[in-house]
Amino acid sequence: MTIVPKRLGVKFNLKRQPALQPDDILPIFQRWIQDHSVGGMLIDVIDYKHVPEGPGIVLIADEADFAYDLADGQIGLHYVRKRDLPDDLESALRLCFSRALEAARALEAEAPDDLLFDYGCAKISFLDRMRYRNTPETFENVRAEMTEILSDIFSASVTLARAYDDPRSLFALHCRVGGGDFNIQS
Amino acid sequence: MTTWKEILKDEIPPEMGMLIDTYEAQMELRKQGRLDEKIFAEARLRKGVYGQRYDNGQRHDGVRTRDLAFPSGEVVKGPDTLWDAPGMQRIKIPYGGLTAEQLEVLSELADEYSDGIMHITTRQDIQLHYVHIDDTPDLMRRLAAVGITTQEACGNSVRNITACTLAGICHDEVFDVSPYADAMTQFLLNHDDVQDFGRKFKVAFSGCAGHACGLVKMHDLGLLAQTREIDGETLRGFTVFVGGGLGTVPHQAKVLAEFCREEELLPLTQAVARVFARLGEKKNRNRARIKFLVAKLGIDEFRREVEEELKTVPHDERHSAYTDTLGGFTYSPAKAGLALNGAPLPDGFDAWYRSNVYRQVQPGYSAITLHTPLGDFTAQQGFQLADIARKYVGDNIRLSVEQNIVLRWVADADLPAIYRDLCEIGLGDAHAGTIVDITACPGTDTCKLGIASSRGLTAELRTRLIEKINLLPDAIRELKIKVSGCFNSCGQHHVADIGFFGNSRRSGNHKMPHFQVVLGGQWQENAGSYGLAVGAVPAKTVPAVLEALTERYVAERGEGESFQTWVKNLGRKEIKAMLQPFMKLPSFEDNPRYFSDWGDSRVYTIDDIGVGECAGEVVSLFSMEISKAESTQFEALLALDDGDYQLADEQAYKAMVLAARALVRTKNLDVGDDYNTIVDEFRSRFYDTELIYDRFAKGKFARYLFKRHEGLPERVNEDYAHQIIDETQLFIENVHSAEQRINGVIVG
C-alpha cells in the first residue's frame, strides 16, 4: 500500500499567459486572508516574483501553502499540504485536489476573462525524499494504486507520467484525466 | 517506520548526532512543560531555530488584528512564541564555502521543509523560512550528514565566521585567510568558553586592508591578515580588531593587537571570549555586545584584561596544532586554466564579464559572481548550479556577504560556456556589485522586528534601476545601496554609499512607512567608516529620493570625487534641505498609496512588530548546562521504554555527570569533559563542603553519582535501569536546589 508522503502538492497550470502580473496577485491573496476566501488558517503573503521560475507569490497557511507558482516555466496554482494530511492516500489526494481546485476557481473568479486554468491536467508532488525518491522504481511502485485511486476520485480514467527525470528532483507526476476536467465527486 | 535518524546514522559525526538528539529531547521536554520556555528558547536559538513574524499568534490583516489559532494551542517554544508558528532555520556556512553535494542537500531541504527558496544572508549563512519546529531535528541530521551544522547559528554564541569570498585567489591579499577561518570555526564550535555570553559574537577574517570583503572593522572580532619580518623570517599573523558592530549604535572596531602571530590567534581569541563572558553585560541585552564592554573599559584596559586572561587560558594542543594543517588547505580546480580562445561570445557576455568576472591571481582562472536578487534562489536552481559547479569548478563555491554566490576557479576558456549555462538557469544576470545589486535584510516579510519592508523597497528599486542601468554614468553604477527594515542594521545600511532603514511616522490618525536615509558610509577598507543619517522620508518617495541624490551627485561632483567625499562636502544641512520636499506627508484621504508599504497591499500598521530573538534569551550558563543533563536523562527514559537497558544506564550516568559539571562550572569554568575530573571537582567543592547537602537527605543524592561512577552493577536489567533513572532525577533536582542556594538566581 502506498504510504502518504509527509507533504503533498497539486498544481494546475494556466491555459495561457495571462495579462495579470504576479504583482496583481499579491493584493488578491491579502484580501483572501481578510475574507477567509479559501480554507485553512491563512497567515501571510510572501513575494518571490523576483526569482526566475520560483514559487512566485505565496499565500502561507498553517497547514498548507497556496502559490501563484512560476516553476517549470508554467504559471499555475500550486497547493502544498504541509501538515495534517489524512493517513490514507485516497483521502490525502482528495483533500489536496479539492483545496487546489477551490483556490484555482477562486483565483479565476478574480479575473474571469484572463485567468483560465487547465483542469484536465495536474502535477502531483510528493515532498518527501525519504519515502519517495524520484526513480522509475518509485513510479512503478505507486502507479497502479495511484491510478486506481485517482480514477475513483474523479470517476474517469487517468494517465500518469513522471514529471522529472532528475533523481534529485521531487518525485512528481503529471496526471491527466480522460475526457474532461478534474471534478471531485463527493 | 524508517526515519532520517536511522538512515543517516553512519554518516553523521557522533558529536553532531548527539547534539541533535539532545535538542530533540529538549523539544519533547518543552512540549511536556518540563523545560523552562526561556531556557528552551536559548537552546533552540543555539541550534539556529529562529522565530518569525506573527509567531505570537497575532497578525494585522490590514483591517484589524486577528488571532492565529495554531493547533498546538498554548504550547510555546519561547516567550510569546507559539510552537506551531512557522519559523526560520539559519544554517552556518563557514566563510561561505560550499561543496556541490552540500548545495544539493540544502536544495532538498528547501523543497521539503521550507517554501522552495534558499536565502543568502549578509553573513554568508543560508536561511530557510516558514519551517515548522518539528521538522528541524531531521533537517539538522540531513545537513550533518554532509558536514554542515546549525549549532550556534543564532543565540548568544559565536555566529558564522565570515571571510572574503576572494580569499586564496585575490591579487591584493597578504595570504589566504580561508584555512584560518576554518580552524577558528572548528576550535570555537561548542567550546566551553563561548557558552556564557550575554549576546552574540561575530568574527570575520580579511586578507587585505583595502577592499571591503571581510568587513573586519564592523565585527566583534576582526582579523586582518598581516606578515612581519622577524629575524629574517616572514611570519604570518593578524591585526586583531575588537568591539566593532553596526546595530542601533554603530561602533568602529579598535585595534587590540597590531600583530598577533598565527600560533597565538586561537588562545588570544579564547582570552577575548573569556573576558567577554566574565565582564560583558548579562542583564541589559541592549548593551550586552562586546562593543559596549570595550567602550566602557576603553581599549587599553580591555587589552590589559585580555593579556591577564591569556595567562589563565589552559594549555590546548589545538592552539598551535592547526598551523601544521594549513598547508593542506588547497583548492582543486575542475579544469586546467586556459585563456579565452577568441571564439564568438554569446549575447550579453561583455556586460556580464565587466561586472561579474574577477580575474584570479592564478593565470587562466577567474571567479564569477552569480547575482541572486534579494539573496534568493530556488531549490531547482540549487540542483542545476551543483551540476554547473561540478562541470566547471568542482567544489569551489562560496556565498558572499553581498548575498550572492561566487564560483571560483573557472578556466577563462570556459567563461562563455558557463555564462550560457547560468543564463539557462536564471543566474546569468549582469550587474553584480553595482547599484542594482542591493543588499536587504528580511524586514517585515519575516522578521519580528521589521518596521518597514526592506525587501519590498529593494525589489522596487532594483526593477527601476535595471531598466536604466545601461544609461547610468559609471559614478552611479558603482554605488552601493543597502536596506534594513529597522534600525538594527542587518542590511548593513551604515556601510553603504546610500543606506536606508525602516521607521514610521504618523500622519493624521494613520501610520506611514518611512525610511531613514543614511549617506556616505564606506564599504571599502573593510567598512572603513559609517554613514550619516540625514532624515526620514515616506517609503513611497524613496525611488524619487534616490534619483534626486544620484542626479545631483553626477551634476556636482568634482573630478574623481567619491560619493562619500561629495556627501561630506555638501553637508548634512544642505542634504536635509534637498530631502525636505520629499518629507511632506499627505493625508490618508489625499493619497492612501503612501499608507501601504512596498510589496504589501495592506494599510500599514506597526501592530505586528514583536520581540526579536536576535539577542537570544539571557540565560545563565548553569541553566543551559543543566538543561542538557535533563534532556539526557529524558533520553535515558526513552531507552528504557525501548528496552535498551544498557543505553538507559549510559545516558543516566552521563546525565548525572552533566548535572555535576553544570554546578562545577559555576566555580571552575575550565573543568573540561573528563568524567573523573568532573566527579573529583564535584566531590571536593560541593560534597566535602556539604554545599550539595539536602536539608533532610544530606549527601544521599550525590552518593548516587559516586556509586555509579565507581562502576556498573553485575546485572543491568530493567529494574536497575528504572532505579538509576530515578536516582538521576533526584540528583538533578538536588543540583538545582543547591545551585539556587549557592548562587541565588538561575534564569538571568
Side-chain angles (χ1 to χ4, degrees), chain B residues 134-153:
Chain B
D134 288 345
D135 290 329
T136 55
D138 279 347
L139 186 155
M140 291 170 195
R141 289 187 179 105
R142 294 171 75 177
L143 289 170
V146 290
I148 297 179
T149 183
T150 67
Q151 187 71 18
E152 296 168 356

PDB file of all heavy atoms in Angstrom, chain B residues 134-153:
ATOM      1  N   ASP B 134       8.970  21.139  14.376  1.00  0.00           N
ATOM      2  CA  ASP B 134       9.007  19.670  14.454  1.00  0.00           C
ATOM      3  C   ASP B 134       9.886  19.052  13.363  1.00  0.00           C
ATOM      4  O   ASP B 134      10.342  17.914  13.495  1.00  0.00           O
ATOM      5  CB  ASP B 134       7.584  19.086  14.350  1.00  0.00           C
ATOM      6  CG  ASP B 134       6.769  19.348  15.603  1.00  0.00           C
ATOM      7  OD1 ASP B 134       7.364  19.722  16.641  1.00  0.00           O
ATOM      8  OD2 ASP B 134       5.531  19.213  15.541  1.00  0.00           O
ATOM      9  N   ASP B 135      10.103  19.789  12.282  1.00  0.00           N
ATOM     10  CA  ASP B 135      10.936  19.280  11.185  1.00  0.00           C
ATOM     11  C   ASP B 135      12.425  19.540  11.414  1.00  0.00           C
ATOM     12  O   ASP B 135      13.262  19.034  10.645  1.00  0.00           O
ATOM     13  CB  ASP B 135      10.529  19.934   9.856  1.00  0.00           C
ATOM     14  CG  ASP B 135       9.167  19.473   9.376  1.00  0.00           C
ATOM     15  OD1 ASP B 135       8.800  18.320   9.667  1.00  0.00           O
ATOM     16  OD2 ASP B 135       8.464  20.264   8.719  1.00  0.00           O
ATOM     17  N   THR B 136      12.751  20.358  12.413  1.00  0.00           N
ATOM     18  CA  THR B 136      14.148  20.820  12.497  1.00  0.00           C
ATOM     19  C   THR B 136      15.154  19.724  12.866  1.00  0.00           C
ATOM     20  O   THR B 136      16.275  19.753  12.336  1.00  0.00           O
ATOM     21  CB  THR B 136      14.283  22.029  13.447  1.00  0.00           C
ATOM     22  OG1 THR B 136      13.747  21.700  14.735  1.00  0.00           O
ATOM     23  CG2 THR B 136      13.560  23.237  12.877  1.00  0.00           C
ATOM     24  N   PRO B 137      14.840  18.751  13.730  1.00  0.00           N
ATOM     25  CA  PRO B 137      15.865  17.733  14.006  1.00  0.00           C
ATOM     26  C   PRO B 137      16.270  16.950  12.750  1.00  0.00           C
ATOM     27  O   PRO B 137      17.463  16.738  12.506  1.00  0.00           O
ATOM     28  CB  PRO B 137      15.201  16.826  15.056  1.00  0.00           C
ATOM     29  CG  PRO B 137      14.210  17.700  15.733  1.00  0.00           C
ATOM     30  CD  PRO B 137      13.681  18.591  14.633  1.00  0.00           C
ATOM     31  N   ASP B 138      15.297  16.540  11.941  1.00  0.00           N
ATOM     32  CA  ASP B 138      15.643  15.808  10.720  1.00  0.00           C
ATOM     33  C   ASP B 138      16.392  16.707   9.742  1.00  0.00           C
ATOM     34  O   ASP B 138      17.322  16.255   9.058  1.00  0.00           O
ATOM     35  CB  ASP B 138      14.386  15.246  10.050  1.00  0.00           C
ATOM     36  CG  ASP B 138      13.928  13.957  10.706  1.00  0.00           C
ATOM     37  OD1 ASP B 138      14.712  13.379  11.487  1.00  0.00           O
ATOM     38  OD2 ASP B 138      12.790  13.536  10.449  1.00  0.00           O
ATOM     39  N   LEU B 139      15.963  17.943   9.670  1.00  0.00           N
ATOM     40  CA  LEU B 139      16.657  18.900   8.795  1.00  0.00           C
ATOM     41  C   LEU B 139      18.138  18.980   9.201  1.00  0.00           C
ATOM     42  O   LEU B 139      19.034  18.937   8.354  1.00  0.00           O
ATOM     43  CB  LEU B 139      15.957  20.257   8.945  1.00  0.00           C
ATOM     44  CG  LEU B 139      16.358  21.430   8.073  1.00  0.00           C
ATOM     45  CD1 LEU B 139      15.186  22.419   7.961  1.00  0.00           C
ATOM     46  CD2 LEU B 139      17.535  22.168   8.636  1.00  0.00           C
ATOM     47  N   MET B 140      18.370  19.061  10.510  1.00  0.00           N
ATOM     48  CA  MET B 140      19.758  19.150  11.005  1.00  0.00           C
ATOM     49  C   MET B 140      20.538  17.869  10.715  1.00  0.00           C
ATOM     50  O   MET B 140      21.724  17.909  10.396  1.00  0.00           O
ATOM     51  CB  MET B 140      19.753  19.416  12.515  1.00  0.00           C
ATOM     52  CG  MET B 140      19.255  20.788  12.891  1.00  0.00           C
ATOM     53  SD  MET B 140      19.012  20.883  14.672  1.00  0.00           S
ATOM     54  CE  MET B 140      18.040  22.372  14.784  1.00  0.00           C
ATOM     55  N   ARG B 141      19.869  16.738  10.842  1.00  0.00           N
ATOM     56  CA  ARG B 141      20.562  15.454  10.582  1.00  0.00           C
ATOM     57  C   ARG B 141      20.985  15.368   9.119  1.00  0.00           C
ATOM     58  O   ARG B 141      22.082  14.907   8.807  1.00  0.00           O
ATOM     59  CB  ARG B 141      19.647  14.284  10.940  1.00  0.00           C
ATOM     60  CG  ARG B 141      19.450  14.129  12.437  1.00  0.00           C
ATOM     61  CD  ARG B 141      18.689  12.873  12.815  1.00  0.00           C
ATOM     62  NE  ARG B 141      18.580  12.824  14.256  1.00  0.00           N
ATOM     63  CZ  ARG B 141      17.469  13.098  14.961  1.00  0.00           C
ATOM     64  NH1 ARG B 141      16.344  13.397  14.321  1.00  0.00           N
ATOM     65  NH2 ARG B 141      17.479  13.066  16.275  1.00  0.00           N
ATOM     66  N   ARG B 142      20.117  15.808   8.247  1.00  0.00           N
ATOM     67  CA  ARG B 142      20.447  15.727   6.818  1.00  0.00           C
ATOM     68  C   ARG B 142      21.605  16.660   6.489  1.00  0.00           C
ATOM     69  O   ARG B 142      22.429  16.363   5.630  1.00  0.00           O
ATOM     70  CB  ARG B 142      19.192  16.031   5.984  1.00  0.00           C
ATOM     71  CG  ARG B 142      18.136  14.946   6.169  1.00  0.00           C
ATOM     72  CD  ARG B 142      16.807  15.297   5.557  1.00  0.00           C
ATOM     73  NE  ARG B 142      16.812  15.185   4.100  1.00  0.00           N
ATOM     74  CZ  ARG B 142      15.726  15.387   3.345  1.00  0.00           C
ATOM     75  NH1 ARG B 142      14.565  15.694   3.921  1.00  0.00           N
ATOM     76  NH2 ARG B 142      15.792  15.277   2.038  1.00  0.00           N
ATOM     77  N   LEU B 143      21.669  17.783   7.175  1.00  0.00           N
ATOM     78  CA  LEU B 143      22.811  18.692   6.996  1.00  0.00           C
ATOM     79  C   LEU B 143      24.085  18.083   7.591  1.00  0.00           C
ATOM     80  O   LEU B 143      25.154  18.127   6.979  1.00  0.00           O
ATOM     81  CB  LEU B 143      22.533  20.037   7.671  1.00  0.00           C
ATOM     82  CG  LEU B 143      21.486  20.932   7.000  1.00  0.00           C
ATOM     83  CD1 LEU B 143      21.150  22.114   7.902  1.00  0.00           C
ATOM     84  CD2 LEU B 143      22.009  21.436   5.649  1.00  0.00           C
ATOM     85  N   ALA B 144      23.933  17.520   8.793  1.00  0.00           N
ATOM     86  CA  ALA B 144      25.110  16.976   9.479  1.00  0.00           C
ATOM     87  C   ALA B 144      25.754  15.870   8.646  1.00  0.00           C
ATOM     88  O   ALA B 144      26.974  15.704   8.650  1.00  0.00           O
ATOM     89  CB  ALA B 144      24.711  16.443  10.852  1.00  0.00           C
ATOM     90  N   ALA B 145      24.925  15.145   7.909  1.00  0.00           N
ATOM     91  CA  ALA B 145      25.450  14.033   7.108  1.00  0.00           C
ATOM     92  C   ALA B 145      26.361  14.519   5.981  1.00  0.00           C
ATOM     93  O   ALA B 145      27.129  13.743   5.425  1.00  0.00           O
ATOM     94  CB  ALA B 145      24.292  13.215   6.535  1.00  0.00           C
ATOM     95  N   VAL B 146      26.263  15.812   5.645  1.00  0.00           N
ATOM     96  CA  VAL B 146      27.181  16.355   4.621  1.00  0.00           C
ATOM     97  C   VAL B 146      28.093  17.427   5.233  1.00  0.00           C
ATOM     98  O   VAL B 146      28.633  18.283   4.525  1.00  0.00           O
ATOM     99  CB  VAL B 146      26.421  16.921   3.396  1.00  0.00           C
ATOM    100  CG1 VAL B 146      25.801  15.789   2.607  1.00  0.00           C
ATOM    101  CG2 VAL B 146      25.374  17.952   3.802  1.00  0.00           C
ATOM    102  N   GLY B 147      28.240  17.366   6.560  1.00  0.00           N
ATOM    103  CA  GLY B 147      29.239  18.217   7.211  1.00  0.00           C
ATOM    104  C   GLY B 147      28.814  19.640   7.483  1.00  0.00           C
ATOM    105  O   GLY B 147      29.656  20.520   7.671  1.00  0.00           O
ATOM    106  N   ILE B 148      27.511  19.892   7.533  1.00  0.00           N
ATOM    107  CA  ILE B 148      27.039  21.247   7.852  1.00  0.00           C
ATOM    108  C   ILE B 148      26.354  21.219   9.211  1.00  0.00           C
ATOM    109  O   ILE B 148      25.596  20.298   9.515  1.00  0.00           O
ATOM    110  CB  ILE B 148      26.037  21.753   6.790  1.00  0.00           C
ATOM    111  CG1 ILE B 148      26.718  21.869   5.429  1.00  0.00           C
ATOM    112  CG2 ILE B 148      25.461  23.104   7.187  1.00  0.00           C
ATOM    113  CD1 ILE B 148      25.791  22.339   4.313  1.00  0.00           C
ATOM    114  N   THR B 149      26.613  22.239  10.017  1.00  0.00           N
ATOM    115  CA  THR B 149      25.945  22.326  11.313  1.00  0.00           C
ATOM    116  C   THR B 149      25.154  23.620  11.412  1.00  0.00           C
ATOM    117  O   THR B 149      25.498  24.622  10.784  1.00  0.00           O
ATOM    118  CB  THR B 149      26.959  22.256  12.477  1.00  0.00           C
ATOM    119  OG1 THR B 149      26.250  22.268  13.721  1.00  0.00           O
ATOM    120  CG2 THR B 149      27.912  23.439  12.467  1.00  0.00           C
ATOM    121  N   THR B 150      24.106  23.551  12.201  1.00  0.00           N
ATOM    122  CA  THR B 150      23.369  24.770  12.539  1.00  0.00           C
ATOM    123  C   THR B 150      23.706  25.196  13.969  1.00  0.00           C
ATOM    124  O   THR B 150      23.155  26.161  14.472  1.00  0.00           O
ATOM    125  CB  THR B 150      21.845  24.554  12.442  1.00  0.00           C
ATOM    126  OG1 THR B 150      21.449  23.645  13.475  1.00  0.00           O
ATOM    127  CG2 THR B 150      21.450  24.002  11.091  1.00  0.00           C
ATOM    128  N   GLN B 151      24.607  24.427  14.610  1.00  0.00           N
ATOM    129  CA  GLN B 151      24.961  24.687  16.004  1.00  0.00           C
ATOM    130  C   GLN B 151      25.500  26.104  16.161  1.00  0.00           C
ATOM    131  O   GLN B 151      26.410  26.511  15.442  1.00  0.00           O
ATOM    132  CB  GLN B 151      26.019  23.664  16.444  1.00  0.00           C
ATOM    133  CG  GLN B 151      26.384  23.681  17.912  1.00  0.00           C
ATOM    134  CD  GLN B 151      25.277  23.150  18.797  1.00  0.00           C
ATOM    135  OE1 GLN B 151      24.373  22.473  18.324  1.00  0.00           O
ATOM    136  NE2 GLN B 151      25.346  23.451  20.074  1.00  0.00           N
ATOM    137  N   GLU B 152      24.918  26.851  17.085  1.00  0.00           N
ATOM    138  CA  GLU B 152      25.352  28.211  17.417  1.00  0.00           C
ATOM    139  C   GLU B 152      25.187  29.171  16.229  1.00  0.00           C
ATOM    140  O   GLU B 152      25.961  30.101  16.051  1.00  0.00           O
ATOM    141  CB  GLU B 152      26.786  28.192  17.979  1.00  0.00           C
ATOM    142  CG  GLU B 152      26.824  27.420  19.304  1.00  0.00           C
ATOM    143  CD  GLU B 152      28.208  27.087  19.834  1.00  0.00           C
ATOM    144  OE1 GLU B 152      29.194  27.381  19.154  1.00  0.00           O
ATOM    145  OE2 GLU B 152      28.288  26.521  20.939  1.00  0.00           O
ATOM    146  N   ALA B 153      24.158  28.909  15.433  1.00  0.00           N
ATOM    147  CA  ALA B 153      23.875  29.822  14.315  1.00  0.00           C
ATOM    148  C   ALA B 153      23.132  31.063  14.780  1.00  0.00           C
ATOM    149  O   ALA B 153      23.152  32.098  14.117  1.00  0.00           O
ATOM    150  CB  ALA B 153      23.067  29.105  13.233  1.00  0.00           C
TER     151      ALA B 153
END
